[in-house]
Amino acid sequence: MKADPLLDLKSKLFLALLVAAAIVVPMANLVAAPGSDFYLPSFAVALFGKYLTYALLALSVDLIWGYCGILSLGHGAFFALGGYAMGMHLMREIGPRGVYGDPVLPDFMVFLDWKELPWFWWGFDQFWFACLMVLLVPGGLAFVFGWLAFRSRVTGVYLSIITQAMTYALMLAFFRNDMGFGGNNGLTDFRDVLGFDLRSDATRAGLFVASAAALGLGYLLARRVTTSRAGKVLVSVRDAEARARFLGYRVEGYKLMVFTLSAMMAGVAGALYVPQVGIINPGEFSPANSIEIVIWVAVGGRGLLLGAVLGAILVNGAKTLLTGWVPEIWIFVLGLIFVLVTLFLPKGVLGAFGTLSWRSGGARRGASAQPAE
Amino acid sequence: MEFARGSMLYLDDVSVSFDGFKAINGLSLMLAPGEMRAVIGPNGAGKTTMMDIITGKTRPDHGDVIFDQSIDLTRHDETDIARMGIGRKFQKPTVFETHTVADNLLLSLAGKRGVFETLLAQITGAEARRIEEILETIRLEERRDDLAADLSHGQKQWLEIGMLLAQDPKVLLVDEPAAGMTDAETMATADLLKRIAGEHTVMVVEHDMEFVRALGVKVTVLNEGSVLAEGSLDHVSADPHVIESYLGR
């Protein structure tokens, strides 16, 4: 009996590709002369960086949906919370350089005539504190939400619906001005992070590299979990929850662990997303966003980890191209992609084409994707 | 709990109803340690509900369910009860289809159950040896590395019995182990269960009379949620109530 190695061939290829991208993309922007064939414009660096954060987000959804059967339709909430935590730090970094020049209060608070910083903004002037919150806020919410839901044995479509309700409720809350997160406009006009100007090419390249590193680490962590014996238990819970219970596994404990871990990964993705796009607003909590993440995973291939990464990059690449050419049709194309993939590629792009080449090698996938529930 | 002395499983005057329908109605039953008991009865007699009550899936409206002389099972959930040593085989074979046969057994082995324990667990030599032993017992050595989904129906039944063995429980509840098996497989399954009994207390629910006869143990007949007759198969087969409610039909 051979244990599934942490780093199989596919993982090594992927990580090598990621390292190559982390070297080539910044070089093509910083070193190559503008106008040369190798030059990559700055906006593209930020765009690709954004894709990497989406890939990490998709990975976090695949970890729970692909391996434990928890279909979260509210994962965008954890992404947005991580984004807000980072956004709050970036707001505090602006300091007296805001429009109103208040050394402590962000512009929107001055505008609302607030006299002092609300308690939940304390500490966000420290970068390390913001990083901690990027993990703790989404993780904490997922822990409490999961503890209540899994203990009451809410599963399947009911769980999906309440995750939608959760992100919708958060969206409505964050839209309110008196919540203290900038209301409708969200947080924006960021200047710098750790003293580096966010508008400079070098900072953008740095954020790209950080996103690639986060994706690589997130992938390794997910591999570590899914190839362990606990990962086998997760798949068992996905396929035969009652059997797992009658074997003596505390199913809710496993679900809670993986759900919380996944929410933290989504939070990190959000925190890296915000400085690259320059804004975070309540629209990120929109239920449609969360559904889109699930589509990425379904397109790439559920339960394969790399499928989620591939799906996020493919779908968002197509989105960027299409919304550039004919913006009106994107939403229809997205729907069409989802329908076609569900009908003809139930295991997703990687599941369908990846197995063709690897099957012959005699490799057996321990946890293969199952048809969507 | 003096009354449960000398028993491994003790049910007294247990009742449960679903929406007014009495699935179990004043059921009393006692299994001695190491005993094997066959439970028969027509559809809807409450056999599966009785197993649900013993394993903590269903809570009885009233009555005592005592395990190993002192543990009140109505106060515990499925996970607790499984860890205390009651294993269950479902009516429909339920194995982890996307895991290999060996992994199914590995996950069933008594021991590591906590999240962080399994996150760090490496397979030990003792575990590997135990898996080999069980594979031999259930005659699936050749299928070790195949996915459980690829097994035949009968082999899945055996794998699930193997998973019960791996748990090493004190009590095994076995629901229709011979369903969908050929005659030869049925007899081999009866042999397997007889070998298991003795070390373990076993309760077998079965429809197949040939199978029950092959087991050669005391039989309890359930009907409409309570015990209709108890004794050897010949004895209960001769009981006019049993003939009327079940065998005669």
Side-chain angles (χ1 to χ4, degrees), chain A residues 1 3 153 224-225 228-254 257 364-370, chain B residues 55 57 77-80 82-83 88-90 94-96 98-100 102-103 106-108 112-115 118-123 127 131 145-147 160 163 167:
Chain A
M1 242 176 35
R153 302 203 181 167
R224 178 70 186 80
V225 170
S228 72
R229 195 180 295 184
K232 291 185 170 126
V233 177
L234 291 175
V235 171
S236 305
V237 169
R238 178 192 76 186
D239 292 345
E241 184 169 331
R243 173 40 70 216
R245 259 185 227 287
F246 285 119
L247 280 181
Y249 288 101
R250 194 146 296 289
V251 166
E252 45 278 22
Y254 282 86
M257 179 276 286
R364 183 185 298 283
R365 285 179 300 132
S368 65
Q370 289 290 295
Chain B
T55 53
K57 193 180 176 208
D77 70 358
E78 299 103 305
T79 308
D80 277 344
R83 288 187 189 182
R88 177 178 188 179
K89 196 199 95 53
F90 292 91
T94 311
V95 295
F96 302 127
T98 51
H99 285 318
T100 63
D103 276 349
L106 174 66
L107 291 173
S108 312
K112 304 188 181 80
R113 289 293 184 270
V115 179
T118 54
L119 211 47
L120 303 171
Q122 297 290 330
I123 185 162
E127 285 176 326
I131 289 170
D145 295 324
D146 291 334
L147 294 185
E160 201 179 0
M163 289 164 75
Q167 269 180 278

Side-chain angles (χ1 to χ4, degrees), chain A residues 148-233:
Chain A
L148 292 170
F150 300 141
R151 199 182 52 125
S152 315
R153 302 203 181 167
V154 181
T155 54
V157 71
Y158 300 100
L159 186 85
S160 303
I161 290 170
I162 59 170
T163 54
Q164 278 263 286
M166 174 191 76
T167 195
Y168 189 64
L170 282 167
M171 180 178 76
L172 295 183
F174 274 72
F175 263 127
R176 296 172 62 240
N177 276 331
D178 18 340
M179 268 291 277
F181 296 102
N184 196 17
N185 298 320
L187 310 175
T188 189
D189 290 335
F190 309 133
R191 297 295 169 94
D192 48 32
V193 60
L194 292 173
F196 298 104
D197 183 0
L198 276 171
R199 277 156 234 187
S200 81
D201 286 349
T203 309
R204 283 190 175 161
L207 285 166
F208 178 88
V209 173
S211 304
L215 178 59
L217 287 175
Y219 177 75
L220 284 174
L221 190 64
R223 277 292 289 182
R224 178 70 186 80
V225 170
T226 55
T227 56
S228 72
R229 195 180 295 184
K232 291 185 170 126
V233 177

